[in-house]
Amino acid sequence: MISIFDITTEQEFENLALTTFRYQYKNIEVYRKFVDYLNIDVEKIMSLDKIPFLPIEMFKNHQILDKNISTDLYFQSSGTTQMNLSKHFIADENIYQESIYKSFEQFIGKPEDYIFLGLLPSYLEKQNSSLIYMVDFLMKKSGKPENGYFLYNHADLFNLLNELKDKKVILFGVSFALLDFLDFCNSNSQALIKSNNLTVIETGGMKGRKEEMTKDELLKILQNGFSTEQIYSEYSMTELLSQAYSLGKNIYKCPNWMRVLIRNAEDPFGYEKAGRTGAVNIIDLANIHSCSFIATQDLGKLLIEDHKKFQVLGRIDHSDIRGCSLLVS
């Protein structure tokens, strides 16, 4: 069977997705119960839009794991409270590492060519973060002595960014921390030296720390504050092992083993055409030993019908959506 990382055509993706669906139905108990609860005939599933998508909330209450696998490694959502956080158990680190590397290489370049800095305080302060694992892995591949993390030592980060203006630098930052850093610069009347070598990758997340704003507003503030047009975004989550990247304008592109479908906000088994807003369903074939078919709580829309290019527009108000709260006892 073709590897997920060797997919080159839509037919290859669909064939592998359907094979993965049948494997997970047989081997992941929670998913099988969910599908059976919906009274779905598995043998009649012949296209991607007929596959049932597991509500992402299930990761908060159940262990979503292949019955053939035993593992102690898991990632846990950051959350704003220690209660009922999602856990994603990882059966094969090599799959996650290959997904990290190949996604980054496909959209940005070889990790070995960059210095990696992380401004991820809320994630560094908690354990079992998939985001920290990802950045750690990229730093190891890079091998640059300047690689490192920053919590609230904004002056040190400011000085280092100016020192590295002639080197290719990736700064991964959670949104509120990037804004805090720019507030520090403004309050001290300091401006970063303009650099064509600096790329900022924001990973989302205000976590109640900053006033919410649109993605377009955020990107404009970051472009001005960091004196670079290269403000990118990364889209992933604890429950996924793949990453989509936006290289601007809030337009995300999926790697070859990941697809997005937009479900109707009133009918969780109906789908929207390109250009119409709905809830984001994700197929992540790297999730072979958990669940590859995830119904998220994000709002978005497809830009074209190939399901690889999409926008994220916000979060769902659960009072306005049905179907995503179906649970398996």
Side-chain angles (χ1 to χ4, degrees):
M1 184 171 63
I2 186 174
S3 163
I4 65 170
F5 302 115
D6 293 329
I7 291 172
T8 58
T9 69
E10 291 305 310
Q11 190 61 57
E12 289 174 347
F13 181 90
E14 183 162 343
N15 290 344
L16 197 49
L18 290 169
T19 299
T20 300
F21 163 67
R22 295 188 174 93
Y23 177 86
Q24 293 181 343
Y25 175 78
K26 291 178 181 178
N27 293 286
I28 298 169
E29 182 181 7
V30 172
Y31 187 52
R32 183 176 68 255
K33 287 182 177 181
F34 174 71
V35 175
D36 289 346
Y37 178 80
L38 298 174
N39 198 28
I40 288 173
D41 186 345
V42 173
E43 297 305 316
K44 292 183 179 179
I45 303 293
M46 297 296 177
S47 62
L48 300 182
D49 62 344
K50 300 301 181 183
I51 294 175
F53 284 73
L54 188 72
I56 200 166
E57 299 95 325
M58 300 289 276
F59 285 84
K60 294 182 178 180
N61 302 292
H62 303 275
Q63 185 181 78
I64 315 297
L65 184 64
D66 192 324
K67 68 181 182 181
N68 303 302
I69 300 294
S70 177
T71 180
D72 295 323
L73 175 64
Y74 65 88
F75 297 132
Q76 185 165 293
S77 59
S78 57
T80 56
T81 150
Q82 292 303 311
M83 297 178 62
N84 215 30
L85 298 178
S86 292
K87 285 186 177 181
H88 186 187
F89 287 84
I90 309 303
D92 189 341
E93 285 185 79
N94 292 328
I95 293 176
Y96 187 40
Q97 291 175 359
E98 191 163 1
S99 176
I100 292 168
Y101 190 96
K102 289 187 178 297
S103 292
F104 188 90
E105 183 181 39
Q106 179 175 341
F107 297 115
I108 298 173
K110 288 187 174 297
E112 293 86 350
D113 294 337
Y114 292 90
I115 295 165
F116 289 92
L117 307 178
L119 186 59
L120 305 164
S122 58
Y123 294 87
L124 281 170
E125 292 163 338
K126 297 180 180 179
Q127 296 182 332
N128 303 103
S129 164
S130 58
L131 178 57
I132 296 300
Y133 185 104
M134 181 187 81
V135 177
D136 278 347
F137 175 76
L138 291 171
M139 286 181 177
K140 289 174 184 175
K141 286 295 181 183
S142 160
K144 301 291 192 296
E146 300 94 339
N147 292 338
Y149 289 101
F150 295 82
L151 284 168
Y152 306 102
N153 45 336
H154 294 147
D156 293 340
L157 176 58
F158 177 86
N159 292 333
L160 183 59
L161 287 174
N162 281 335
E163 289 174 13
L164 298 177
K165 62 181 176 61
D166 296 321
K167 296 185 178 181
K168 295 174 71 174
V169 174
I170 299 283
L171 172 62
F172 274 100
V174 64
S175 300
F176 79 81
L178 293 171
L179 293 173
D180 281 348
F181 173 75
L182 294 182
D183 286 344
F184 161 83
C185 294
N186 291 333
S187 64
N188 288 276
S189 301
Q190 295 178 313
L192 288 168
I193 300 171
K194 184 173 178 60
S195 171
N196 295 324
N197 295 304
L198 173 63
T199 298
V200 177
I201 302 180
E202 63 90 15
T203 64
M206 293 298 186
K207 304 294 185 186
R209 304 280 288 273
K210 288 282 186 182
E211 182 180 346
E212 293 293 337
M213 62 182 69
T214 68
K215 180 71 78 171
D216 289 341
E217 290 172 333
L218 173 65
L219 295 178
K220 187 173 182 179
I221 290 171
L222 296 180
Q223 283 177 341
N224 291 334
F226 283 95
S227 299
T228 177
E229 295 294 314
Q230 293 163 192
I231 305 294
Y232 300 165
S233 301
E234 182 255 358
Y235 179 86
S236 191
M237 54 192 70
T238 298
E239 299 84 359
L240 302 178
L241 292 183
S242 297
Q243 308 82 40
Y245 284 97
S246 167
L247 305 189
K249 299 182 180 179
N250 188 28
I251 299 172
Y252 290 89
K253 296 181 181 179
C254 296
N256 296 336
W257 56 94
M258 178 181 176
R259 295 291 187 278
V260 166
L261 287 76
I262 303 298
R263 68 182 184 273
N264 185 290
E266 298 297 328
D267 175 9
F269 305 105
Y271 290 95
E272 301 288 1
K273 293 183 179 180
R276 295 181 60 87
T277 299
V280 175
N281 281 4
I282 294 178
I283 302 176
D284 180 5
L285 296 184
N287 277 18
I288 182 61
H289 295 298
S290 54
C291 183
S292 291
F293 311 97
I294 305 295
T296 79
Q297 298 170 340
D298 291 332
L299 285 172
K301 63 181 178 181
L302 293 174
L303 297 183
I304 53 178
E305 291 291 356
D306 73 353
H307 303 281
K308 291 174 67 177
K309 187 182 290 187
F310 66 104
Q311 287 186 312
V312 180
L313 303 175
R315 300 282 286 176
I316 293 168
D317 180 349
H318 279 241
S319 64
D320 294 332
I321 192 162
R322 308 187 197 103
C324 284
S325 58
L326 291 172
L327 297 178
V328 178
S329 61

